Amino acid sequence: MTTFDDRESAFENKFAHDEELRFKAVSRRDRLIGLWAAEKLGKTGADADAYARDVVSTDLKKPGDEDVYDKLRADLPADVPDAEIRKQMLDLLARAVKEIETQ
């Protein structure tokens, strides 16, 4: 029975570790997409950082990425296509994962 318990514990630990990394990657992606959007909105310095923090806090309200997308879509001008927003979200998630893995 101890072998089974050890395997179960290992799987639980791996799951917890993976979820922690996922949370960190998504949070970092939200910050990066917030800075990207802030640039599109003409925000710099402290204003850009404040906007990025606002985007990060938006993602904590409900599960999934749609709340972040909805905020960006509402804030960005109409000439920024939906596809560009979604592509940036995917690209910046990949960047965030790489950054976390290299830490």
Side-chain angles (χ1 to χ4, degrees):
M1 188 71 161
T2 59
T3 302
F4 179 74
D5 292 339
D6 291 343
R7 287 188 66 192
E8 181 180 22
S9 178
F11 282 121
E12 288 172 356
N13 289 338
K14 181 173 179 357
F15 178 79
H17 177 72
D18 290 349
E19 285 300 302
E20 180 182 354
L21 291 178
R22 182 185 169 300
F23 176 79
K24 287 180 181 180
V26 170
S27 293
R28 185 171 296 201
R29 185 275 320 262
D30 292 344
R31 182 178 174 284
L32 292 170
I33 196 79
L35 292 172
W36 172 83
E39 182 180 328
K40 294 275 187 192
L41 294 168
K43 298 177 185 283
T44 59
D47 289 339
D49 288 336
Y51 184 80
R53 281 192 303 275
D54 191 35
V55 171
V56 171
S57 68
T58 296
D59 196 25
L60 300 175
K61 293 178 183 171
K62 59 183 179 179
D65 293 334
E66 286 306 304
D67 47 352
V68 171
Y69 170 79
D70 291 343
K71 175 172 182 38
L72 296 172
R73 178 69 281 158
D75 293 349
L76 289 169
D79 67 338
V80 177
D82 294 347
E84 183 178 355
I85 297 169
R86 294 207 184 268
K87 182 177 181 333
Q88 283 296 322
M89 288 177 73
L90 287 173
D91 292 349
L92 292 174
L93 180 60
R95 177 178 158 189
V97 168
K98 285 181 184 176
E99 288 177 3
I100 289 171
E101 289 176 344
T102 59
Q103 286 182 344

